[in-house]
Amino acid sequence: MEAPLLERSSGEVQLIGDDGDYLAPKGLGAWWRVFCVETAKLWRIGGPIGLQILCQYSVTSVSIAFAGHLGDVELSAFTIALSVVCTFSFGFMLGMGSALETLCGQAYGAGQVHMLGVYMQRSMIILFVTCIFVSPLYIFATPILKLVGQQDEIAYPAGVYTLMILPQLCSLAIVFPTQKFLQAQSKVSMLAWTGAIALISHCFMCWLFIYVFGWGATGLAVSIDITGWGTALAQLVYVVVWCKDGWKGLSWSAFQEIWSFLRLSLESAVMLCLEVWYIMSIIILTGHLDNAVTSVGSLSICMSIDAWQTMVFIGVNAAISVRVSNELGKGRPRAAKYSVYVTLFQSLLIGILCVVVILATRNKFSIIFTDSKPMQKAVAHLSPLLGITMLLNSIQPVISGVAIGGGWQGLVAYINLACYYIFGLPLGIILGYVAHLGVEGLWGGMIAGIALQTLLLLFVLYKTNWNKEVDQTTERMRKWGGQDINGSEKSFHGDKGGH
């Protein structure tokens, strides 16, 4: 259960009205108390989610590390399989599942907890169908890689490994919906434990299958599949057995309003994929520069550092999405607004700290990745751009989380398309190739796209009418099956009353 926002105490000004929403804080003391309450709420949700995402990211890193000890071909093939093919499908599946954050969070806030299970089943149906449409990318990975110019000695084993980890893709159709189901209710400690246990188990299985059973790269693929389905089944069992308020059994209602749900899912997927593909495109473009080896290597090191910060802010993204959707569902516009302000302020402070650390260690942090002096010098030269990127990436995920929590995915998708692909990417190509600024020009142009997107999203946030958002949330809950005229919802086991 959620703790009260703030209780009235002797000698203190009341900050919470009779409706449970914040009153307008007056004075620094009142603002400080709001800041402390919202900070506790944010990190109680975002901390465990960030840990889980970090563990999921580490499963890929561990797999690539084990592949590197098998040989150069295995390393290259597995890197392509996991970092290109799986990253593409992972981002698309995550985006499709993000629609559930909007609906589950708002339904939980509105007290319609029984609908969370229905929405979760609806999302599973859509994601399993999505797996069918994405699976040709896995099945025909070898000819696709050859088509884009990959050498046969890499394309063939990469295609084999990609096909072998197809079961892991299907596990995401359970992992993401159950994850969003639990996040909406702030039941996130289980997710953190599951992620940590999965990572430890994956490390053990990789060692067992490779060095004891002698399965080689096949053992890596089997371990990835087992880890994916182990996580999926653990979360599903927890939902079915220990979440009786939200899970009421299989329901025919999961098939209702599925087209509207699909549209929101596609908007979420497009919004997220436009961001993921934008970052991936700079690496591809850098590979065509004259000094490609040093450029790609130094850029990859910088992107690896940025990825660790991104893992933390994915947790923040999910946390603010839960906070906004919950408060909108409860009809508390000020609480939603203040949670956004507090999260933005803290994220900005973290981003500034990251910039200071990067600039202070610009000649040192690349030692973790390489012993090459020219590569270390190239990384140091790019470090100011890395710092700017990390600063922007501390703000952008917060606003994206607000968009998911409020159901603005379609608007953000259009903004991303305009800022990234109509403005940022062409500018980067012009600076990198026409102005001969190389990787600095490519990255600088793309940073300009991210900066423009951030400014536009901040403007949208500034102009947001939070009372209107509450009204739209209420309408969405009514339209999408929160409760029918008779106050009930139908299940496979017959009709049963709603809450």
Side-chain angles (χ1 to χ4, degrees), residues 360-412:
T361 62
R362 58 185 299 176
N363 297 314
K364 302 294 183 182
F365 69 82
S366 58
I367 298 175
I368 302 172
F369 300 91
T370 180
D371 295 324
S372 170
K373 295 299 182 181
M375 190 69 74
Q376 293 174 11
K377 184 177 179 180
V379 171
H381 188 65
L382 291 177
S383 59
L385 294 176
L386 174 60
I388 296 173
T389 301
M390 296 180 78
L391 180 63
L392 292 173
N393 285 347
S394 68
I395 301 173
Q396 190 272 343
V398 176
I399 308 176
S400 294
V402 176
I404 293 172
W408 312 341
Q409 289 93 328
L411 173 62
V412 178

Coordinates of all heavy atoms in Angstrom, one line a residue, residues 360-412:
A360 N 36.6 15.5 -15.5 CA 37.7 15.4 -14.6 C 38.6 14.2 -14.9 O 39.8 14.2 -14.6 CB 37.2 15.4 -13.2
T361 N 38.0 13.2 -15.5 CA 38.7 11.9 -15.8 C 38.9 11.7 -17.3 O 39.1 10.5 -17.7 CB 38.0 10.7 -15.1 OG1 36.7 10.6 -15.7 CG2 37.9 10.9 -13.6
R362 N 38.8 12.7 -18.1 CA 38.8 12.5 -19.5 C 40.0 11.8 -20.1 O 39.9 11.1 -21.1 CB 38.6 13.9 -20.2 CG 39.7 14.9 -19.8 CD 39.5 16.3 -20.4 NE 39.4 16.2 -21.9 CZ 39.1 17.3 -22.6 NH1 38.9 18.4 -22.0 NH2 39.1 17.2 -23.9
N363 N 41.1 11.9 -19.4 CA 42.3 11.3 -19.9 C 42.6 9.9 -19.2 O 43.6 9.3 -19.5 CB 43.5 12.2 -19.6 CG 43.5 13.5 -20.4 OD1 43.2 13.5 -21.6 ND2 43.8 14.6 -19.7
K364 N 41.6 9.5 -18.4 CA 41.8 8.3 -17.6 C 40.8 7.2 -17.8 O 41.1 6.0 -17.8 CB 41.9 8.6 -16.1 CG 42.9 9.7 -15.7 CD 44.3 9.1 -15.9 CE 45.4 10.1 -15.4 NZ 46.8 9.6 -15.6
F365 N 39.5 7.5 -17.9 CA 38.5 6.5 -17.9 C 38.5 5.5 -19.0 O 38.1 4.4 -18.9 CB 37.1 7.1 -17.8 CG 36.6 7.9 -19.0 CD1 36.0 7.2 -20.1 CD2 36.7 9.2 -19.1 CE1 35.6 7.8 -21.2 CE2 36.2 9.9 -20.2 CZ 35.7 9.2 -21.3
S366 N 39.1 5.9 -20.2 CA 39.2 5.0 -21.3 C 40.2 3.8 -21.0 O 40.2 2.8 -21.8 CB 39.7 5.7 -22.5 OG 40.9 6.4 -22.3
I367 N 41.0 4.0 -20.0 CA 42.0 2.9 -19.7 C 41.2 1.6 -19.3 O 41.7 0.5 -19.5 CB 42.9 3.3 -18.5 CG1 43.7 4.5 -18.9 CG2 43.8 2.2 -18.0 CD1 44.6 5.1 -17.8
I368 N 40.0 1.7 -18.8 CA 39.2 0.5 -18.5 C 39.0 -0.3 -19.8 O 38.9 -1.5 -19.7 CB 37.8 1.0 -17.9 CG1 38.0 1.8 -16.7 CG2 36.9 -0.2 -17.6 CD1 36.7 2.5 -16.2
F369 N 38.9 0.3 -20.9 CA 38.5 -0.4 -22.2 C 39.7 -0.7 -23.1 O 39.6 -1.6 -23.9 CB 37.5 0.5 -22.9 CG 36.2 0.7 -22.2 CD1 36.1 1.9 -21.4 CD2 35.2 -0.2 -22.3 CE1 34.9 2.1 -20.7 CE2 34.0 0.1 -21.6 CZ 33.9 1.2 -20.8
T370 N 40.8 0.1 -23.0 CA 41.8 0.0 -24.0 C 43.2 0.4 -23.5 O 43.3 1.3 -22.6 CB 41.5 0.8 -25.3 OG1 42.6 0.6 -26.2 CG2 41.4 2.3 -25.0
D371 N 44.3 -0.2 -24.0 CA 45.6 0.1 -23.6 C 46.2 1.0 -24.7 O 47.4 1.5 -24.6 CB 46.5 -1.1 -23.4 CG 46.0 -1.9 -22.2 OD1 45.6 -1.3 -21.2 OD2 46.1 -3.2 -22.3
S372 N 45.5 1.2 -25.8 CA 46.1 2.0 -27.0 C 46.1 3.4 -26.6 O 45.1 4.0 -26.3 CB 45.2 1.7 -28.2 OG 45.5 2.6 -29.2
K373 N 47.3 4.1 -26.7 CA 47.4 5.5 -26.5 C 46.6 6.3 -27.5 O 46.0 7.3 -27.1 CB 48.9 5.9 -26.5 CG 49.7 5.2 -25.3 CD 49.1 5.7 -24.0 CE 50.0 5.1 -22.8 NZ 49.4 5.4 -21.5
P374 N 46.7 6.0 -28.8 CA 45.9 6.8 -29.8 C 44.4 6.7 -29.5 O 43.7 7.7 -29.6 CB 46.3 6.2 -31.1 CG 47.6 5.6 -30.9 CD 47.6 5.1 -29.5
M375 N 43.9 5.6 -29.0 CA 42.5 5.4 -28.8 C 42.1 6.2 -27.5 O 41.1 6.9 -27.5 CB 42.2 3.9 -28.5 CG 40.7 3.6 -28.5 SD 39.8 3.9 -30.0 CE 40.4 2.5 -30.9
Q376 N 43.0 6.2 -26.5 CA 42.8 7.0 -25.3 C 42.7 8.4 -25.6 O 41.9 9.2 -25.0 CB 43.9 6.7 -24.2 CG 43.8 5.2 -23.7 CD 45.0 5.0 -22.8 OE1 45.7 5.9 -22.4 NE2 45.2 3.7 -22.4
K377 N 43.6 8.9 -26.5 CA 43.6 10.3 -26.9 C 42.3 10.7 -27.6 O 41.8 11.8 -27.4 CB 44.8 10.6 -27.7 CG 45.0 12.0 -28.1 CD 46.3 12.3 -28.9 CE 46.4 13.7 -29.3 NZ 47.7 13.9 -30.1
A378 N 41.9 9.8 -28.5 CA 40.6 10.0 -29.2 C 39.4 10.1 -28.3 O 38.5 10.9 -28.5 CB 40.4 8.9 -30.3
V379 N 39.4 9.2 -27.3 CA 38.3 9.2 -26.3 C 38.3 10.5 -25.5 O 37.3 11.1 -25.3 CB 38.4 8.0 -25.4 CG1 37.4 8.1 -24.2 CG2 38.1 6.7 -26.1
A380 N 39.5 11.0 -25.1 CA 39.6 12.2 -24.4 C 39.1 13.4 -25.2 O 38.5 14.3 -24.7 CB 41.1 12.4 -23.9
H381 N 39.4 13.3 -26.5 CA 38.9 14.4 -27.4 C 37.4 14.4 -27.5 O 36.8 15.5 -27.7 CB 39.6 14.2 -28.8 CG 39.3 15.3 -29.7 ND1 39.9 16.6 -29.5 CD2 38.6 15.4 -30.9 CE1 39.5 17.4 -30.5 NE2 38.8 16.7 -31.4
L382 N 36.8 13.3 -27.4 CA 35.3 13.2 -27.5 C 34.6 13.4 -26.2 O 33.4 13.5 -26.1 CB 34.9 11.8 -28.1 CG 35.2 11.5 -29.5 CD1 34.8 10.1 -29.9 CD2 34.5 12.5 -30.4
S383 N 35.3 13.5 -25.1 CA 34.7 13.5 -23.7 C 33.8 14.7 -23.5 O 32.8 14.6 -22.9 CB 35.8 13.4 -22.6 OG 36.7 14.5 -22.8
P384 N 34.1 15.9 -24.1 CA 33.1 17.0 -23.9 C 31.7 16.7 -24.5 O 30.7 17.0 -23.9 CB 33.8 18.2 -24.6 CG 35.2 17.9 -24.5 CD 35.3 16.4 -24.7
L385 N 31.7 16.0 -25.7 CA 30.5 15.6 -26.3 C 29.8 14.6 -25.5 O 28.6 14.6 -25.4 CB 30.7 15.1 -27.7 CG 31.3 16.1 -28.8 CD1 31.6 15.5 -30.1 CD2 30.3 17.3 -28.9
L386 N 30.6 13.7 -24.9 CA 30.0 12.6 -24.0 C 29.3 13.3 -22.8 O 28.2 12.9 -22.4 CB 31.1 11.7 -23.6 CG 30.6 10.6 -22.5 CD1 29.5 9.7 -23.0 CD2 31.8 9.8 -22.1
G387 N 30.0 14.3 -22.3 CA 29.4 15.0 -21.1 C 28.1 15.7 -21.5 O 27.1 15.6 -20.7
I388 N 28.0 16.4 -22.6 CA 26.8 17.0 -23.0 C 25.7 16.0 -23.3 O 24.5 16.2 -22.9 CB 27.0 17.8 -24.3 CG1 28.0 19.0 -24.1 CG2 25.7 18.4 -24.9 CD1 28.5 19.7 -25.3
T389 N 26.0 14.9 -23.9 CA 25.1 13.8 -24.1 C 24.5 13.3 -22.8 O 23.3 13.1 -22.7 CB 25.7 12.7 -24.9 OG1 26.2 13.2 -26.2 CG2 24.7 11.6 -25.2
M390 N 25.4 13.1 -21.8 CA 24.9 12.5 -20.5 C 24.0 13.5 -19.8 O 23.1 13.2 -19.1 CB 26.1 12.1 -19.7 CG 26.9 11.0 -20.3 SD 28.4 10.5 -19.3 CE 27.6 9.5 -18.0
L391 N 24.3 14.8 -20.0 CA 23.5 15.9 -19.4 C 22.1 15.9 -20.0 O 21.1 15.9 -19.3 CB 24.1 17.2 -19.5 CG 23.4 18.4 -18.9 CD1 23.2 18.3 -17.4 CD2 24.1 19.7 -19.3
L392 N 22.0 15.8 -21.3 CA 20.7 15.8 -22.0 C 20.0 14.5 -21.7 O 18.8 14.5 -21.5 CB 20.9 15.9 -23.5 CG 21.4 17.3 -24.0 CD1 21.7 17.2 -25.5 CD2 20.4 18.4 -23.7
N393 N 20.7 13.4 -21.6 CA 20.1 12.1 -21.3 C 19.6 12.0 -19.8 O 19.0 11.0 -19.5 CB 21.1 10.9 -21.6 CG 21.2 10.7 -23.1 OD1 20.4 11.2 -23.9 ND2 22.2 10.0 -23.5
S394 N 20.0 12.9 -19.0 CA 19.5 12.9 -17.6 C 18.1 13.6 -17.6 O 17.3 13.4 -16.6 CB 20.4 13.6 -16.7 OG 20.5 15.0 -17.0
I395 N 17.8 14.4 -18.6 CA 16.5 15.1 -18.6 C 15.5 14.4 -19.5 O 14.3 14.2 -19.1 CB 16.7 16.5 -19.1 CG1 17.7 17.3 -18.2 CG2 15.4 17.3 -19.2 CD1 18.0 18.7 -18.7
Q396 N 15.9 13.9 -20.7 CA 15.1 13.4 -21.7 C 14.3 12.1 -21.2 O 13.1 12.0 -21.4 CB 15.9 13.0 -22.9 CG 15.0 12.7 -24.1 CD 14.7 11.2 -24.2 OE1 15.4 10.4 -23.6 NE2 13.7 10.8 -25.0
P397 N 14.9 11.2 -20.5 CA 14.1 10.0 -20.0 C 13.0 10.4 -19.0 O 12.0 9.7 -19.0 CB 15.2 9.1 -19.3 CG 16.5 9.5 -19.9 CD 16.4 11.0 -20.2
V398 N 13.2 11.4 -18.2 CA 12.2 11.8 -17.3 C 10.9 12.3 -18.1 O 9.8 11.9 -17.8 CB 12.7 13.0 -16.4 CG1 11.6 13.5 -15.5 CG2 13.9 12.5 -15.6
I399 N 11.2 13.1 -19.1 CA 10.0 13.6 -19.9 C 9.4 12.5 -20.7 O 8.1 12.4 -20.8 CB 10.5 14.7 -20.8 CG1 11.3 15.8 -20.1 CG2 9.3 15.4 -21.5 CD1 11.8 16.9 -20.9
S400 N 10.2 11.5 -21.2 CA 9.6 10.4 -21.8 C 8.7 9.5 -20.9 O 7.7 9.0 -21.2 CB 10.7 9.5 -22.4 OG 11.4 10.2 -23.5
G401 N 9.2 9.4 -19.6 CA 8.4 8.7 -18.6 C 7.1 9.4 -18.3 O 6.1 8.7 -18.1
V402 N 7.1 10.7 -18.3 CA 5.9 11.5 -18.1 C 5.0 11.3 -19.3 O 3.7 11.1 -19.1 CB 6.2 13.0 -17.9 CG1 4.9 13.8 -17.8 CG2 7.1 13.3 -16.7
A403 N 5.5 11.2 -20.5 CA 4.7 11.0 -21.7 C 4.0 9.6 -21.6 O 2.8 9.5 -21.9 CB 5.6 11.1 -22.9
I404 N 4.8 8.6 -21.1 CA 4.2 7.3 -21.0 C 3.1 7.3 -19.9 O 2.0 6.7 -20.1 CB 5.3 6.2 -20.7 CG1 6.2 6.1 -21.9 CG2 4.6 4.9 -20.3 CD1 7.4 5.2 -21.6
G405 N 3.4 7.9 -18.8 CA 2.4 8.0 -17.7 C 1.2 8.7 -18.1 O 0.1 8.4 -17.6
G406 N 1.3 9.7 -18.9 CA 0.1 10.5 -19.3 C -0.5 10.1 -20.6 O -1.6 10.5 -21.0
G407 N 0.1 9.1 -21.3 CA -0.5 8.6 -22.6 C -0.2 9.5 -23.8 O -1.0 9.6 -24.7
W408 N 0.9 10.2 -23.8 CA 1.2 11.2 -24.9 C 2.1 10.6 -25.9 O 2.8 11.3 -26.7 CB 1.9 12.4 -24.3 CG 1.4 13.1 -23.2 CD1 0.1 13.0 -22.7 CD2 2.0 14.0 -22.3 NE1 -0.1 13.8 -21.6 CE2 1.1 14.4 -21.3 CE3 3.3 14.5 -22.2 CZ2 1.4 15.3 -20.3 CZ3 3.6 15.4 -21.2 CH2 2.7 15.8 -20.3
Q409 N 2.2 9.2 -26.0 CA 3.2 8.6 -26.9 C 3.2 9.1 -28.3 O 4.2 9.2 -29.0 CB 3.0 7.1 -26.8 CG 3.4 6.4 -25.5 CD 2.3 6.3 -24.5 OE1 1.4 7.1 -24.5 NE2 2.3 5.3 -23.7
G410 N 2.0 9.3 -28.9 CA 1.8 9.7 -30.2 C 2.5 11.0 -30.5 O 3.2 11.2 -31.5
L411 N 2.2 12.0 -29.6 CA 2.8 13.3 -29.7 C 4.3 13.3 -29.7 O 5.0 13.9 -30.5 CB 2.3 14.3 -28.6 CG 2.9 15.6 -28.5 CD1 2.7 16.5 -29.8 CD2 2.4 16.4 -27.3
V412 N 4.9 12.5 -28.7 CA 6.3 12.4 -28.5 C 6.9 11.7 -29.8 O 8.1 12.1 -30.2 CB 6.7 11.7 -27.3 CG1 8.2 11.5 -27.1 CG2 6.1 12.4 -26.0

